Amino acid sequence: RPYYNSSAADKSNGLQRQSVLDPLDSFARRHIGPSSSDAQRMLETLDPPVQSLDAFVKEVLPAKILSTKDIDINGPDFDSRPEGFSETELIARLRKIAKENKVMRSYIGCGYAGTKVPEVIKRNVLEGPGWYTSYTPYQPEISQGRLESLLNFQTVVTDLTALSISNASVLDEPTAAAEAMTLSMNALPVSRQKRPNKTFLVSHLCHPQTIAVLESRADGFGIKIVVADILEDNCRNVKETGEDLIGVLVQYPDTEGGVETFQDLADVVHGQGSTLCVATDLLALTLLKPPGEFGADIAFGNAQRLGVPFGYGGPHAAFFACGDNYKRKIPGRLVGISKDRLGNKAMRLALQTREQHIRREKATSNICTAQALLANMSAFYAVYHGPKGLRAIAQKAVNGARVLEEGVRRLGFSTGTRGKGEDGRTLFETIAIEVGSGRASDIAANAAETSGINLRVLDLGRLGVTIDETVELQDLEDILAIFAKASSVSQPDIPSVNKIASDLSLSVNELAGVPSALKRTSTYLTHPVFNKHHSETELLRYIHHLQSKDLSLTHSMIPLGSCTMKLNATTEMIPVSWPEFSSIHPFVPLDQAKGYKTMIDELERDLAEVTGFDAVSLQPNSGAQGEFAGLRVIRKYQETQPGKKRDICLIPVSAHGTNPASAAMCGMRVVTLKCETGTGNLDMADLKAKCEKYSEELGAIMVTYPSTFGVFEPEVKQVCEIVHAHGGQVYMDGANMNAQIGLCSPGEIGADVCHLNLHKTFCIPHGGGGPGVGPIGVKSHLAPFLPGHPLIKTGGEKSTAPVSGAPWGSASILPISWAYIKMMGGRGLTHATKITLLSANYILSRLKPHYPILYTNAAGRCAHEFILDVRPFKESAGIEAIDVAKRLQDYGFHAPTMSWPVANTLMIEPTESENLAELDRFCDALIEIRQEIKAVERGEQPRQGNVLKMAPHSLGDLLVGEKWERSYGMEKAAYPLPWLKEKKFWPSVTRIDDGE
Amino acid sequence: RPYYNSSAADKSNGLQRQSVLDPLDSFARRHIGPSSSDAQRMLETLDPPVQSLDAFVKEVLPAKILSTKDIDINGPDFDSRPEGFSETELIARLRKIAKENKVMRSYIGCGYAGTKVPEVIKRNVLEGPGWYTSYTPYQPEISQGRLESLLNFQTVVTDLTALSISNASVLDEPTAAAEAMTLSMNALPVSRQKRPNKTFLVSHLCHPQTIAVLESRADGFGIKIVVADILEDNCRNVKETGEDLIGVLVQYPDTEGGVETFQDLADVVHGQGSTLCVATDLLALTLLKPPGEFGADIAFGNAQRLGVPFGYGGPHAAFFACGDNYKRKIPGRLVGISKDRLGNKAMRLALQTREQHIRREKATSNICTAQALLANMSAFYAVYHGPKGLRAIAQKAVNGARVLEEGVRRLGFSTGTRGKGEDGRTLFETIAIEVGSGRASDIAANAAETSGINLRVLDLGRLGVTIDETVELQDLEDILAIFAKASSVSQPDIPSVNKIASDLSLSVNELAGVPSALKRTSTYLTHPVFNKHHSETELLRYIHHLQSKDLSLTHSMIPLGSCTMKLNATTEMIPVSWPEFSSIHPFVPLDQAKGYKTMIDELERDLAEVTGFDAVSLQPNSGAQGEFAGLRVIRKYQETQPGKKRDICLIPVSAHGTNPASAAMCGMRVVTLKCETGTGNLDMADLKAKCEKYSEELGAIMVTYPSTFGVFEPEVKQVCEIVHAHGGQVYMDGANMNAQIGLCSPGEIGADVCHLNLHKTFCIPHGGGGPGVGPIGVKSHLAPFLPGHPLIKTGGEKSTAPVSGAPWGSASILPISWAYIKMMGGRGLTHATKITLLSANYILSRLKPHYPILYTNAAGRCAHEFILDVRPFKESAGIEAIDVAKRLQDYGFHAPTMSWPVANTLMIEPTESENLAELDRFCDALIEIRQEIKAVERGEQPRQGNVLKMAPHSLGDLLVGEKWERSYGMEKAAYPLPWLKEKKFWPSVTRIDDGE
Ligand SMILES: Cc1ncc(COP(=O)(O)O)c(C=O)c1O
Ligand SMILES: Cc1ncc(COP(=O)(O)O)c(C=O)c1O
Ligand SMILES: O=C([O-])O
């Protein structure tokens, strides 16, 4: 018995307990849709039918790769129970873990600032399944709500930066810096891009984690990162870099709180034909001259302080803006305004930067999953506060900082001097205080211990304090008291904050002493949306109104191949909003984050167990980042190996676009492998030939397993062996891990590295396009090279530069995956995999009489997903995949993955969470659509203007305007199957123009 | 300056702060819709216009009643700040308070049992504004979701009790017992109802709080409550009561856990022509023979353990079921199945038990607000678990109890012996353990202190333990350890729970030793709804699907006169789900509920301040219960006064139906007072005449202020003086308190008692028909008579019997009102009142050119609501109030209060939370409807089949079926105003047949 047997494991009716006193709130039966009797019916419906689930599994997976052992999840309080924690036990265990974290007041700054998350946004967006379970808005007709919200986010960014284009979020501020660097490079003439000493100049006053991430990203492109004082000597460093200059990055306000004029710098940089990039802070830009007005070409930063909690580092939305001339090259997704068939305004993703369009081996960015949910939170935060509210928050923070600065000066300290106001006072909310060499750490440690306040240790003799929205009068008093204690003034008179405030004659609305070159005079957020939702009632209605336009998992199955849209269970989501997880700054001393450490250690261990690896890094913020991190680990390892520079990366044609993109970003040369046309499997002869050919240079192969065609390739072990034999490492793309867990594992198959998408297989909700977590698992020989961090120790002994700004990436959503694993246990996880495979094969069997299916294994089975071939209908009826996709909306379903990995086909993945009734509704819909296509084929319906071509149908289409003179009735348009009369989801617009 | 001046108080743009360092997340500006500039525009639009808000107030309120002082809210950490806590401060203060409560394991039972609230239900129902902000489903076309859920609740009740009728919840188990008693009385021939010694026999094994509440309710009806051993001597007590017998109440399982056969009792009771009432437990009925199968006529109980937390006593849904012959008299609301205009199945409230239909002075029940939200939670709990799941939960509890019983027996204790199984073991989940006289309290105190476990002290020598869904193996071990410690067996061998379980050969599915007379054999919950939503995904979709059919405050204004549907802010709702508030059993020792005490004391103090009273009781669970409690206090007081039995209660004709109903229930004789036809004011001459006439017998007057016609009557102080002069007490119905706060107060006006509806004025959400809280405030002379409680000391020194089962009623929702008051502060509360008055007058001024308005004061102003007179259109166009109400649904609005207090009119109350844009949309809708009426008046549209008569229009109406051949277009039906194309709420059915 190679894996948990299912007759015993299936607890789906919840009553097959071991003991009469076992907990009843077991989770697997809630997570898995089909009950055991449903599963039996499904097995019988398969073509050909199968007797048992375990017999079925053997038809799907090649015998050679089946695991030789059960997966074993354990840990404290867990007692090595294969059936997993009950929901109640899970919450109890998590409360214990949470208590190990100490929630303190963190004024560390460094790219993260405290914020007050409006409760109405927290409850209705962050905790609203209508928001968190939706998919990236690639089907715009059923996504107008989040598209509008993301457009609001973009407007916040363009208005505040005064640049013309913004995308809909990137992963974090440091990776945004990396994107800025590569975009700067891309903007240069090709000759300059090829210069061997091409250099990106970075201000020494940028955040340290930004500089570190730039290092890791510069590597593969052969860019030199030079950290320097940029303004020194009239920008001497810039000028001296000459033609080698790719661009310059400065931080505004800088990491120590200074605010300087960069207009002259901009002129110098532009004079050299290069790009000026500015890392900035949206809140500061409500008061200070925006980058777009002093010559910046690119501005980016962390939008976290607009209503997203610390979360021990993430997830938050970073923003990225640029001038018009960078428009075609801006990375990530962009919401644009288009029109629907009726000419109504409608939003959609512009430039369709979907992963399959990533420019593969020519790519300079691989971003795919971003931070949509968090961008929406920040957008609603801005909508709720409006321009005046945001400005008031900024103004209060500066006022607080000025009071503090004056207070510590009176106590005899000097404060940092660069980039001050005309009156010598800070221009924003961070101050640097000189406490005497060697004293900084002690004072900080003392502040934490005795006052529960975290300060930033800038260096041996200086402390940084960042005042944020949460800082009230008492907090200022408490900070001042810390410095009074540290003061050398004997018996210092602790100044009262109120007294200082009145001495300084601070104003609520006007910041004194701002030089005109630094003062914001232009307006922002003048759009009505930011000026009419300032009462809670209005904001609540706006949130719900937008939500009502969007299809999410609260409505129906989202059968997106390669995306694994499964249940995001409430119990998994609960801890995300606990302050013990959400209110921890990423750079607090480790003894304040012991709960995080416990949870992270357990999760790493469990993921290693599940994947068959020896070590795991949770740092990457997305699958694509995981690929980048994993390939970097391989490269660092290969550097230690004998032989030539091993920079060849073999990638099958069928691979996801991020694969070649990531390889290219690591400086690898991509060599494409063929697939067999009949089976879709890797062409072994081609593999062997290329391994031979590049034997000396072979760095790695990237394979997806099961393949992106949805089949368990039988020869995968052999592939690994061949590559290993030629000195290559095997990188497995784990996007399809949901088909493997408990039945086989990358480690056992022979992979050296694999990334997982926790936002697919491990239940982190998709959030409408992020957040994600893309951890990598590695074999022991690679473990030393796992990514590290400049401020907090993590990663292996020979750790490589970080790929994300926070040591553990999007730490605050890790409890979701941790909880999923702990509640499912080894048994539940394995059973879920079997049901996932069964569900896909059930749909396949039901649809096979009606549609051609692309690629199955020798037994006629698919893995967890399969490709429906609609290409023949193009000729027979003029119908394409997009028409079927849009028509599915009329039936209440989100379309499957369209035109990937094969153009003009649909890839269907049901996951284990959908129950049989829903699977059947979905099959019925596709079968009915097949009838509609037949009607066109038979000439009963016209090739244009038929119900498929006109799909989707919005209410505006049916009820408003011209007389109904179509070849089909309204009822056919709206309610093609009877159950739609009870439950119907309406697209809010008609088909949206896909051109630009 | 009699009250907070508004120019300074209005912080609605949030930026007029006192100090630059004041918190920015002030709440009043979020709660109040119109900003200060909006308010200015509204003042200018009034007819005639007014200069300032304060000048406007003087036009609305009679000068004589204006308060002479500002209200002053304070308390710890509050610093007497008129501007109130910020949202962050509030949460911080509440966290402190919450920590004073100790969350222990409570196995006290006594009508409350621990339960696991499925997180998916908690997040999506209890914490879902779509559910908690909706109104009682009187407009069924936009309420099909919660009607279906309440029907599910009723099905759970009828299936499990095996009785044919259930209502949609009552307030709690003890008041349900009271309803059962009065229904039993009502079912008797009138002659027997009038017998002076009529007696209700109550088993001594009923819960003590039930018996206590029966006492208070029996009082006014002159019913004798006799507590006795009912089965003793072949029901001797029953037989001996003879013709005086109203009915018999037994508890099944009883309060000590016994389960006895009542079939013979039923025969005896029926033989005497009386009613058998059974207090019961729905969970037990999954295993035990249901009351309907052994002759019970009425069964009721607490549904709390079906997924609703303890909440320190409430709110929970109690259920109430009866046989068919009691159908016409069953109290409370009932969901029934009807048809819509198209003949589709549609649900609606049957018997229309709306408050105005309460049978006034003939009433035996005044129930109005019930427990809809909690009934929905319990219904979803049953849907999620299904029949097998519920049975498994019950079975596990009995198994646990049996293990425990065996364990303590092995330790040498005997356990209660009545009502056991054939094998001498408990038949359900409660056991009574004899610990030796005088030892019970000590052992219980020790268990709490050392093990954190609460047991029930049954008497000096006995402890009770109730095993519930939350009890797992370790808990059983811990309980056993307590008894091992208390055991006199020297060095007791603590038996292992697993060992005992296996010794007893317990089964997961079958309960051994159940006599056939007590065994459930019939099926239940066979309806598909209980058998297909057992995965979280399916339940989530079901919850959201139902929600999508219902209009709530997340969509638009609900302008219901007398109901005050204002913002239920998220921050107010947050603490309700904290375990420190939700997981406390109502009968824990007071030292475990210190946080509750702090919060309750502060709330009582603040409500006293706001109302001008000296003492407050928070016990009543609804406004109607408040009336009953308040009048009882008056009666108890009057008994101590010289003079005749003062049992006359004067009530104006315009009063809410609950007023006379409550008076009747207190045994008072209702004398109706006239109102002036022109102004609607109380007819002073009639008042004087009746006071004279009944001078010796005058007990009280009940007045609503402002009047139910929405006007501040100028003579209210004089009314109080006259009544006082004749020895009467003044009861004020505080339903309209939202118009008073900060400007005037019942206490200052001269009232002696007043109830408040915290679910109106103080932001507890309406929940689709409950929960509610109806505290009463009293002057000092009445304070000694405030209701007490048999188990937990509360109320005055001469406290009267309780009106609710829990000492502080629905304690867990009190933090909502506490939070509202603390965040608004005196200033914010007062400003809200002014804006409430302004908003009503703004709508009045905009509609006056289009519709006649009923009743305004001399200055032409209304209070916080007013009556729109649509009666003339009956003749001119055949249009009635109901047509306007239904047509408003097409415009996306809930109808105003219809036909109350004046038939065929609409009473509009906007509250302060609606912003100007929403007020305008509402006015525009009514003005457009007036045009539609004109079209009929002019003959351009037919009197039948026009857009009003056909309203509301569902999608089924427009898209399905016959050809469109109406006198108006589809677009007119669906989108009569342009903004509806962007935001439209669709009724899910067409107009529902209002007949029965
Ligand atoms: C096969 C495959 N690889 C990589 C990715 C990229 O993952 P992410 O979107 O998390 O960056 C995806 C995402 O859909 C994928 O399907
Ligand atoms: C004037 C008036 N009195 C009493 C009540 C009864 O209050 P409750 O529904 O809380 O029992 C109401 C309820 O609408 C009311 O409007
Ligand atoms: O019945 C009610 O209007 O609450």
Side-chain angles (χ1 to χ4, degrees), chain A residues 25 116 536 541 570 914, chain B residues 25 116 536 541 570 914:
Chain A
D25 56 336
K116 294 180 176 180
E536 182 167 332
R541 288 186 192 149
T570 318
E914 296 300 335
Chain B
D25 55 335
K116 295 180 175 179
E536 182 166 333
R541 287 186 193 150
T570 318
E914 297 300 335

Side-chain angles (χ1 to χ4, degrees), chain B residues 357-563:
Chain B
H357 297 132
I358 286 172
R359 281 157 305 144
R360 302 182 67 91
E361 52 273 17
K362 294 227 172 346
T364 48
S365 172
N366 64 354
I367 187 167
C368 186
T369 285
Q371 301 283 18
L373 185 66
L374 301 314
N376 286 330
M377 284 182 74
S378 289
F380 282 120
Y381 179 93
V383 164
Y384 199 34
H385 286 294
K388 283 192 200 148
L390 290 182
R391 192 185 164 101
I393 291 168
Q395 178 81 35
K396 188 181 155 212
V398 200
N399 281 337
R402 287 184 169 195
V403 163
L404 187 65
E405 188 175 42
E406 175 66 17
V408 297
R409 285 182 188 172
R410 291 191 192 177
L411 288 168
F413 296 99
S414 21
T415 59
T417 48
R418 233 174 119 156
K420 292 275 149 185
E422 282 156 351
D423 48 6
R425 305 198 183 279
T426 185
L427 281 167
F428 195 42
E429 36 62 299
T430 292
I431 58 173
I433 302 163
E434 291 176 23
V435 291
S437 187
R439 296 189 65 209
S441 298
D442 285 351
I443 296 175
N446 209 268
E449 184 156 356
T450 62
S451 313
I453 286 180
N454 290 313
L455 305 174
R456 177 167 173 204
V457 177
L458 286 168
D459 52 38
L460 291 176
R462 292 188 312 142
L463 288 170
V465 189
T466 295
I467 303 304
D468 62 45
E469 190 189 359
T470 70
V471 177
E472 305 294 357
L473 202 111
Q474 184 60 50
D475 304 308
L476 289 173
E477 302 276 14
D478 294 349
I479 305 171
L480 262 187
I482 293 166
F483 286 95
K485 223 163 78 182
S487 164
S488 57
V489 177
S490 66
Q491 300 220 312
D493 219 9
I494 306 186
S496 125
V497 162
N498 265 331
K499 175 72 173 58
I500 302 174
S502 86
D503 290 353
L504 294 181
S505 325
L506 296 176
S507 143
V508 182
N509 315 305
E510 260 319 301
L511 195 56
V514 188
S516 65
L518 287 173
K519 193 175 191 129
R520 174 142 207 162
T521 52
S522 49
T523 57
Y524 47 85
L525 305 187
T526 54
H527 188 284
V529 80
F530 300 107
N531 293 283
K532 63 179 188 187
H533 299 105
H534 300 169
S535 76
E536 182 166 333
T537 298
E538 277 306 303
L539 188 74
L540 178 74
R541 287 186 193 150
Y542 184 54
I543 293 171
H544 281 263
H545 174 54
L546 293 189
Q547 180 183 319
S548 75
K549 298 182 176 194
D550 288 11
L551 188 137
S552 71
L553 286 177
T554 67
H555 298 99
S556 54
M557 169 155 70
I558 301 185
L560 282 163
S562 207
C563 293

Side-chain angles (χ1 to χ4, degrees), chain B residues 557-565 735-736 738 836 840 843 864-866 896 907-911:
Chain B
M557 169 155 70
I558 301 185
L560 282 163
S562 207
C563 293
T564 314
M565 299 290 289
N736 291 347
N738 211 46
T836 263
I843 301 182
H864 65 307
E865 62 191 7
F866 67 94
M907 183 158 64
I908 295 169
E909 177 183 5
T911 86

